[in-house]
Amino acid sequence: MTNRSPLSRSYLAGFLLPLLLAAAPMAGQELPILSRCSGSGVERAVDSLLSLMTVDEKIGQMVQYSAERDTLRVGRLTVAQQELIREGAVGSILNLVGASVVHEAQRIAVEESRLGIPIIFGLDVIHGFRTIFPIPLASASTFDPDLVEKAERAAAREATAAGIHWTFAPMVDIARDPRWGRIAEGAGEDTYLGSAMAAARVRGFQDRDLSRPDALLACPKHFAAYGGAEGGRDYNTVDISERTLREVYLPPFHAAIDAGAGSIMCSFNEIAGVPSSSNKRLLTTILRGEWGFPGFVVSDWNSIGELLNHGIAAARSEAGAVALAAGVDMDMEANVYHQELREAVKRGEVTTDQLDRAVRRILRMKFALGLFADPYRGCDPANESAAVLAPEHRALARDVARRSIVLLKNEKGVLPLRRDAGTVAVVGPLADDAVDLLGPWSAEGRAEDVVTALRGLRSAATGEVNVEYARGCGIRDSSTSGFGEALALARRSDVVVAVVGESRSMSGEAASRSSLDLPGRQEELVEALVGTGKPVVVVLMNGRPLTIPWIADRAGAVVEAWFLGSEAGSALADVLFGEYNPSGRLPVTFPRSVGQIPIYYNHKNTGRPPSESDRWTSKYIDLPSTPLYPFGFGLSYTTFAHSGLALDRPVMHRNDTLTVLATVKNTGRRRGMETVQLYLHNSGANVTRPVQQLRGFRKVELNPGETGIVEFRLTEEELKFYDLDMHWTVKAGAFQVMVGPNCAETQSATFEYRP
Ligand code: GLC
C-alpha cells in the first residue's frame, strides 16, 4: 500500500466540505439539476479540487471499471481494482451491487485515497432493479408516460438502496427494424412517443433533486442513432441523412436532456462515416453547443477502444485523444484513458484543459448527487432489504404489466375466459417459464420472484375452472415429442391458451435475428392446437414484433404480452380472465414478413405510393403493402366509435394554438380505455414529409354507452420540420389532421398554416 498524505478526510472535512455545503441550496430549495451544477459554490469547490489533483488523479476520475460478475450475479472488486481505487485511479464502477460491497468500495475511495473523492456506482437499471417491470417496449405500449415515470421511480428507490447512484438508462434509440434485438429496450419506432417516454423515465429516475438519497442519475443512451443499424444488425453501420438524424433519432435525447438527465452515453456505431465516440459534432457542437448539456458523456463499453476497428485511430493513444477531443468524458472499460492519457499529455497531444473540462463535468454530477456531502447516500443493507420487492413495487409492476398487454385479435368473444366452468389448457414453452419473462437487462431480477403465466392463471381461476398444463415443445429446439401430450390435453379442454414466443436472450444486445418467425417448432404446435378445433388464445412473450400471419388469421385470439417481468403471470391472468380490460397499443409496426422491413408508419409517400390495382407502384408483388398490425393498434373487450373531429379554425397563424376536438363513444358492454391518437401530415413543405407523424395521444376511460370528448392543442412547434436548407421551421401551406384509435383508422380534417 503506498503512503497516503494526510490530505483525505480531515482536509476534506476542514476545507472542502464547508465550501461544498455553502454551495448547496437551502433545504427545500428545489433547484433543477442544471442550476445545481452551475451554481457558483459548486464551481469554486470543483476548481479547488481540480487545483489539488495530479494529472493521474484527474485521469482517474475519467475511468470506469466493471466489477467482475460471477454466475452468482454478485459483483466483486478484484484486488487490483481495489488498489486502483486507493491510487485515486477510478472515478466510477459499474456492476458492483449490494449495499455492503458498495459501501466497502466507497470506504476505500473516501478513506484510503489521497483526496478521498467518492466513486459513482452505475448499473443497467433498464426496467427495474429487483422488482422487474415490463421491458421498455412493453411499457411504451401503455402510451402512459406518467405510469412509466412511477415505475422508474420505484426502480430508482430499489437501486439506490443497494448503493447504485447511476443507471445506464433510459435507452431512447428509435428502432424501425425489429430484426434489431435492442428494439426491446426502447419505446419503438416513433419519435414523439419515444420523446415522451424518454422524458418520463428521466423524471422517474432522477426525481426533482438529484441529491436525494433515492435519486438515480439517468443516462440516456445510445447517442446517437444506434437503432438505425443497417439490416437491423447490432453495432452495424448507420448511414442516414442529417434530416433523418435530427427529425427521427435525436429528439428523444433532447427530450431526456430537457428533462434534466445529468449524463449521456455515446453509441458504438458510426453515423455517416464518423463513430459516435469520436464525433465532435455530435458530442460537442450539438449536445453542448446547441442543447447546452451540462452533464458528462460516458462511452459505451470499450467503444473508445473500438475506434481502432472503425479505422478512425491507428493506436490506442490516438483513440483516447480523439475521443476526449470529441467530448467523451469517461471511458467505460476500454482502459484507454487510464493507460494512454498521461503520456498523451506529456507529448502535448492532450491538454490539461481538456482533462479539466472532462473532470469538471464529472465532479459537478458527483456534487449534484450529494456524494461529497454523503458518499454513502443511505447505502445500507437494512434500507436495501426494505426497498427491494416492496409490495407497492410489485403491485405497480402488475399494473404496468397489464396495461402493457396489447389485444391484437379476439374473435367470437374467445376472451375474456369464462370463470364459471371448464378446463383451460395452458400450453407452450413460455407458459411456465420464469427466467425469460424477466426479459433482457433484468439487473438483479430473479426467476424465483416471477409469477409465470401458468401460476398466474391458476391463482386467478376460481373453483369451477380447471387449469391444466403441457409444455408441448421448447422455445428453440426442434423436438415435437411433447406435441402428443399437449394435443391430448387440448382435446379434453374447453379452451387453449398457447404461450409462445422468444427466449429473453433472443432480444437485447447482440441479439439481432434474420427471421421474425416464432423460433423452433412453436408455430407448428399452434397450428396443431388450432387443428383440434378448440378455441385457441395465442399469448406472445417476445422482445420484438414477430411475423405471425398464419396465427393472426387462424387463432381465435392473439395477445401481445412482451416480457412483462416479475408480475407477468398475474397481469396476464387479469387480462385473460377479464379482471382488466386490455388497453395497450402497439408502439411498433408488426410486419407480415421480414421481407417488408423496413416498414414503419411514418414513411414517405414516394412518387408512386403503393396501389394494389396499379402494378407500377412502390410495393412487393408477393405481399400486401400493409403491415400485419399497424402502429398504435390495439383492441379492447369493448368497442369504441370515433367521430366529430373538429378544428377551432381553418387557418392557423404564427403564435396561434389550434384546438382539435374529437368524440369517442364506448359502444360496447364493458368499461374500457381508449387511446386516441393525433397524426399530422404537412403537404406544404419544400421537402418530402412523412405521410403521418404522431403529434398527440389521449387516454380516455368510458363506461358502456358513455361519450367522451378529447382535446388536442397544437402550436407551430408541432408543425415544424427541417426545410431544404436544414432550418427548423414551418412554411405556409396545408396540413392534414388525422385522429383515431391507430395510425390506419383515422378521421381527418385540414387546416392552412399562414405565418
Ligand atoms: C453495453 C451496452 C450498454 C450498457 C453497457 C454497460 O455494451 O451497449 O447499453 O449500458 O454495456 O453494461
Side-chain angles (χ1 to χ4, degrees), residues 94-95 124 126 168 182 185 221-222 226 235 265 268 300-301 332 441 509:
L94 75 147
N95 293 330
D124 292 281
I126 309 298
F168 307 119
R182 304 201 78 167
E185 302 174 44
K221 68 184 184 182
H222 307 78
Y226 183 23
Y235 317 115
M265 181 186 292
F268 291 117
D300 203 337
W301 189 288
M332 178 192 283
W441 296 106
E509 185 174 357

mmCIF file of all heavy atoms in Angstrom, residues 94-95 124 126 168 182 185 221-222 226 235 265 268 300-301 332 441 509, ligand 1:
data_model
loop_
_atom_site.group_PDB
_atom_site.id
_atom_site.type_symbol
_atom_site.label_atom_id
_atom_site.label_comp_id
_atom_site.label_asym_id
_atom_site.label_seq_id
_atom_site.Cartn_x
_atom_site.Cartn_y
_atom_site.Cartn_z
ATOM 1 N N LEU A 94 -19.013 0.091 -12.423
ATOM 2 C CA LEU A 94 -20.342 -0.438 -12.761
ATOM 3 C C LEU A 94 -20.396 -1.908 -12.395
ATOM 4 O O LEU A 94 -19.362 -2.562 -12.221
ATOM 5 C CB LEU A 94 -20.654 -0.234 -14.245
ATOM 6 C CG LEU A 94 -19.984 -1.130 -15.295
ATOM 7 C CD1 LEU A 94 -20.939 -1.347 -16.448
ATOM 8 C CD2 LEU A 94 -18.695 -0.522 -15.793
ATOM 9 N N ASN A 95 -21.614 -2.376 -12.225
ATOM 10 C CA ASN A 95 -21.882 -3.788 -11.952
ATOM 11 C C ASN A 95 -21.463 -4.260 -10.574
ATOM 12 O O ASN A 95 -21.395 -5.461 -10.335
ATOM 13 C CB ASN A 95 -21.246 -4.702 -13.011
ATOM 14 C CG ASN A 95 -21.911 -4.521 -14.361
ATOM 15 O OD1 ASN A 95 -23.101 -4.190 -14.432
ATOM 16 N ND2 ASN A 95 -21.156 -4.687 -15.431
ATOM 17 N N ASP A 124 -27.000 -1.115 -15.093
ATOM 18 C CA ASP A 124 -28.067 -1.041 -16.094
ATOM 19 C C ASP A 124 -29.412 -1.352 -15.447
ATOM 20 O O ASP A 124 -29.819 -2.504 -15.387
ATOM 21 C CB ASP A 124 -27.804 -2.051 -17.213
ATOM 22 C CG ASP A 124 -26.593 -1.681 -18.031
ATOM 23 O OD1 ASP A 124 -26.735 -0.797 -18.896
ATOM 24 O OD2 ASP A 124 -25.512 -2.246 -17.775
ATOM 25 N N ILE A 126 -32.667 -1.029 -16.340
ATOM 26 C CA ILE A 126 -33.357 -0.707 -17.591
ATOM 27 C C ILE A 126 -34.867 -0.809 -17.459
ATOM 28 O O ILE A 126 -35.619 -0.030 -18.024
ATOM 29 C CB ILE A 126 -32.866 -1.639 -18.726
ATOM 30 C CG1 ILE A 126 -31.341 -1.645 -18.802
ATOM 31 C CG2 ILE A 126 -33.496 -1.281 -20.058
ATOM 32 C CD1 ILE A 126 -30.715 -0.324 -19.116
ATOM 33 N N PHE A 168 -27.641 3.257 -16.473
ATOM 34 C CA PHE A 168 -27.370 3.480 -17.892
ATOM 35 C C PHE A 168 -28.705 3.312 -18.636
ATOM 36 O O PHE A 168 -28.923 2.350 -19.348
ATOM 37 C CB PHE A 168 -26.312 2.487 -18.364
ATOM 38 C CG PHE A 168 -25.082 2.496 -17.525
ATOM 39 C CD1 PHE A 168 -24.664 1.368 -16.837
ATOM 40 C CD2 PHE A 168 -24.357 3.662 -17.343
ATOM 41 C CE1 PHE A 168 -23.534 1.375 -16.030
ATOM 42 C CE2 PHE A 168 -23.223 3.699 -16.534
ATOM 43 C CZ PHE A 168 -22.806 2.557 -15.876
ATOM 44 N N ARG A 182 -32.224 -4.898 -29.844
ATOM 45 C CA ARG A 182 -32.333 -3.847 -28.821
ATOM 46 C C ARG A 182 -33.610 -3.019 -28.970
ATOM 47 O O ARG A 182 -33.871 -2.142 -28.159
ATOM 48 C CB ARG A 182 -31.083 -2.973 -28.834
ATOM 49 C CG ARG A 182 -29.811 -3.793 -28.652
ATOM 50 C CD ARG A 182 -28.638 -3.012 -28.161
ATOM 51 N NE ARG A 182 -28.726 -2.761 -26.710
ATOM 52 C CZ ARG A 182 -27.709 -2.323 -25.979
ATOM 53 N NH1 ARG A 182 -26.537 -2.075 -26.545
ATOM 54 N NH2 ARG A 182 -27.854 -2.106 -24.670
ATOM 55 N N GLU A 185 -35.483 -2.620 -25.824
ATOM 56 C CA GLU A 185 -35.060 -1.742 -24.722
ATOM 57 C C GLU A 185 -35.593 -0.328 -24.829
ATOM 58 O O GLU A 185 -35.390 0.470 -23.915
ATOM 59 C CB GLU A 185 -33.526 -1.678 -24.688
ATOM 60 C CG GLU A 185 -32.840 -3.009 -24.518
ATOM 61 C CD GLU A 185 -31.326 -2.867 -24.647
ATOM 62 O OE1 GLU A 185 -30.761 -1.914 -24.078
ATOM 63 O OE2 GLU A 185 -30.698 -3.693 -25.322
ATOM 64 N N LYS A 221 -29.311 6.790 -23.615
ATOM 65 C CA LYS A 221 -28.354 6.117 -24.499
ATOM 66 C C LYS A 221 -29.112 5.569 -25.697
ATOM 67 O O LYS A 221 -30.347 5.488 -25.647
ATOM 68 C CB LYS A 221 -27.643 5.001 -23.718
ATOM 69 C CG LYS A 221 -28.554 3.839 -23.342
ATOM 70 C CD LYS A 221 -27.822 2.811 -22.482
ATOM 71 C CE LYS A 221 -28.717 1.620 -22.198
ATOM 72 N NZ LYS A 221 -28.067 0.615 -21.338
ATOM 73 N N HIS A 222 -28.446 5.230 -26.822
ATOM 74 C CA HIS A 222 -27.021 5.332 -27.091
ATOM 75 C C HIS A 222 -26.856 6.434 -28.115
ATOM 76 O O HIS A 222 -27.377 6.311 -29.237
ATOM 77 C CB HIS A 222 -26.518 4.017 -27.625
ATOM 78 C CG HIS A 222 -26.858 2.842 -26.750
ATOM 79 N ND1 HIS A 222 -28.099 2.240 -26.698
ATOM 80 C CD2 HIS A 222 -26.101 2.140 -25.859
ATOM 81 C CE1 HIS A 222 -28.084 1.246 -25.832
ATOM 82 N NE2 HIS A 222 -26.892 1.163 -25.300
ATOM 83 N N TYR A 226 -28.276 4.680 -32.872
ATOM 84 C CA TYR A 226 -27.825 3.268 -32.796
ATOM 85 C C TYR A 226 -28.875 2.344 -33.410
ATOM 86 O O TYR A 226 -28.571 1.319 -33.998
ATOM 87 C CB TYR A 226 -27.589 2.985 -31.329
ATOM 88 C CG TYR A 226 -27.055 1.660 -30.895
ATOM 89 C CD1 TYR A 226 -26.331 0.813 -31.715
ATOM 90 C CD2 TYR A 226 -27.276 1.238 -29.584
ATOM 91 C CE1 TYR A 226 -25.837 -0.401 -31.266
ATOM 92 C CE2 TYR A 226 -26.793 0.031 -29.119
ATOM 93 C CZ TYR A 226 -26.081 -0.789 -29.955
ATOM 94 O OH TYR A 226 -25.610 -1.997 -29.504
ATOM 95 N N TYR A 235 -24.637 -3.127 -33.794
ATOM 96 C CA TYR A 235 -23.318 -2.496 -33.938
ATOM 97 C C TYR A 235 -23.009 -2.117 -35.392
ATOM 98 O O TYR A 235 -21.921 -1.617 -35.679
ATOM 99 C CB TYR A 235 -22.178 -3.385 -33.433
ATOM 100 C CG TYR A 235 -22.423 -4.099 -32.129
ATOM 101 C CD1 TYR A 235 -22.488 -5.499 -32.083
ATOM 102 C CD2 TYR A 235 -22.600 -3.420 -30.936
ATOM 103 C CE1 TYR A 235 -22.709 -6.165 -30.890
ATOM 104 C CE2 TYR A 235 -22.800 -4.094 -29.726
ATOM 105 C CZ TYR A 235 -22.861 -5.467 -29.720
ATOM 106 O OH TYR A 235 -23.083 -6.139 -28.538
ATOM 107 N N MET A 265 -24.783 8.519 -22.739
ATOM 108 C CA MET A 265 -23.834 7.511 -23.205
ATOM 109 C C MET A 265 -23.759 7.553 -24.723
ATOM 110 O O MET A 265 -24.795 7.490 -25.401
ATOM 111 C CB MET A 265 -24.269 6.105 -22.769
ATOM 112 C CG MET A 265 -23.316 5.001 -23.191
ATOM 113 S SD MET A 265 -23.912 3.346 -22.818
ATOM 114 C CE MET A 265 -23.849 3.352 -21.041
ATOM 115 N N PHE A 268 -21.961 2.841 -30.000
ATOM 116 C CA PHE A 268 -20.880 2.091 -30.667
ATOM 117 C C PHE A 268 -20.756 2.476 -32.133
ATOM 118 O O PHE A 268 -19.686 2.431 -32.704
ATOM 119 C CB PHE A 268 -21.210 0.588 -30.646
ATOM 120 C CG PHE A 268 -21.174 -0.062 -29.310
ATOM 121 C CD1 PHE A 268 -22.317 -0.624 -28.758
ATOM 122 C CD2 PHE A 268 -19.993 -0.153 -28.588
ATOM 123 C CE1 PHE A 268 -22.289 -1.262 -27.533
ATOM 124 C CE2 PHE A 268 -19.951 -0.789 -27.348
ATOM 125 C CZ PHE A 268 -21.101 -1.344 -26.823
ATOM 126 N N ASP A 300 -19.657 3.992 -24.445
ATOM 127 C CA ASP A 300 -20.218 2.662 -24.224
ATOM 128 C C ASP A 300 -19.030 1.730 -23.984
ATOM 129 O O ASP A 300 -17.864 2.112 -24.107
ATOM 130 C CB ASP A 300 -21.096 2.219 -25.405
ATOM 131 C CG ASP A 300 -22.096 1.154 -24.984
ATOM 132 O OD1 ASP A 300 -21.843 0.465 -23.971
ATOM 133 O OD2 ASP A 300 -23.146 1.023 -25.644
ATOM 134 N N TRP A 301 -19.359 0.499 -23.623
ATOM 135 C CA TRP A 301 -18.339 -0.472 -23.200
ATOM 136 C C TRP A 301 -17.240 -0.619 -24.268
ATOM 137 O O TRP A 301 -17.507 -1.140 -25.355
ATOM 138 C CB TRP A 301 -19.022 -1.821 -22.956
ATOM 139 C CG TRP A 301 -18.159 -2.849 -22.330
ATOM 140 C CD1 TRP A 301 -17.128 -3.519 -22.918
ATOM 141 C CD2 TRP A 301 -18.243 -3.362 -20.993
ATOM 142 N NE1 TRP A 301 -16.576 -4.411 -22.044
ATOM 143 C CE2 TRP A 301 -17.226 -4.334 -20.847
ATOM 144 C CE3 TRP A 301 -19.052 -3.096 -19.897
ATOM 145 C CZ2 TRP A 301 -17.022 -5.030 -19.650
ATOM 146 C CZ3 TRP A 301 -18.853 -3.794 -18.720
ATOM 147 C CH2 TRP A 301 -17.850 -4.748 -18.596
ATOM 148 N N MET A 332 -15.616 3.899 -20.417
ATOM 149 C CA MET A 332 -16.154 2.673 -19.841
ATOM 150 C C MET A 332 -15.386 1.487 -20.384
ATOM 151 O O MET A 332 -15.489 1.151 -21.576
ATOM 152 C CB MET A 332 -17.647 2.503 -20.179
ATOM 153 C CG MET A 332 -18.237 1.214 -19.639
ATOM 154 S SD MET A 332 -19.873 0.832 -20.298
ATOM 155 C CE MET A 332 -20.891 1.958 -19.357
ATOM 156 N N TRP A 441 -31.609 -7.520 -19.897
ATOM 157 C CA TRP A 441 -31.241 -6.447 -18.963
ATOM 158 C C TRP A 441 -32.132 -6.440 -17.728
ATOM 159 O O TRP A 441 -32.806 -5.469 -17.413
ATOM 160 C CB TRP A 441 -31.291 -5.084 -19.632
ATOM 161 C CG TRP A 441 -30.321 -4.901 -20.744
ATOM 162 C CD1 TRP A 441 -30.617 -4.874 -22.070
ATOM 163 C CD2 TRP A 441 -28.902 -4.758 -20.651
ATOM 164 N NE1 TRP A 441 -29.478 -4.714 -22.807
ATOM 165 C CE2 TRP A 441 -28.401 -4.632 -21.957
ATOM 166 C CE3 TRP A 441 -27.991 -4.708 -19.587
ATOM 167 C CZ2 TRP A 441 -27.048 -4.464 -22.233
ATOM 168 C CZ3 TRP A 441 -26.642 -4.545 -19.847
ATOM 169 C CH2 TRP A 441 -26.177 -4.426 -21.160
ATOM 170 N N GLU A 509 -29.113 -6.807 -26.324
ATOM 171 C CA GLU A 509 -27.861 -6.555 -27.049
ATOM 172 C C GLU A 509 -27.338 -7.814 -27.723
ATOM 173 O O GLU A 509 -27.490 -8.907 -27.221
ATOM 174 C CB GLU A 509 -26.797 -6.013 -26.096
ATOM 175 C CG GLU A 509 -25.508 -5.631 -26.831
ATOM 176 C CD GLU A 509 -24.487 -4.968 -25.951
ATOM 177 O OE1 GLU A 509 -24.772 -4.739 -24.763
ATOM 178 O OE2 GLU A 509 -23.389 -4.674 -26.455
HETATM 179 C C1 GLC B 1 -23.258 -2.445 -23.104
HETATM 180 C C2 GLC B 1 -24.413 -1.726 -23.677
HETATM 181 C C3 GLC B 1 -24.875 -0.564 -22.869
HETATM 182 C C4 GLC B 1 -24.703 -0.859 -21.396
HETATM 183 C C5 GLC B 1 -23.231 -1.031 -21.115
HETATM 184 C C6 GLC B 1 -22.949 -1.344 -19.641
HETATM 185 O O1 GLC B 1 -22.428 -2.983 -24.020
HETATM 186 O O2 GLC B 1 -24.309 -1.315 -25.032
HETATM 187 O O3 GLC B 1 -26.248 -0.324 -23.220
HETATM 188 O O4 GLC B 1 -25.232 0.211 -20.633
HETATM 189 O O5 GLC B 1 -22.652 -2.035 -21.914
HETATM 190 O O6 GLC B 1 -23.496 -2.581 -19.291
#
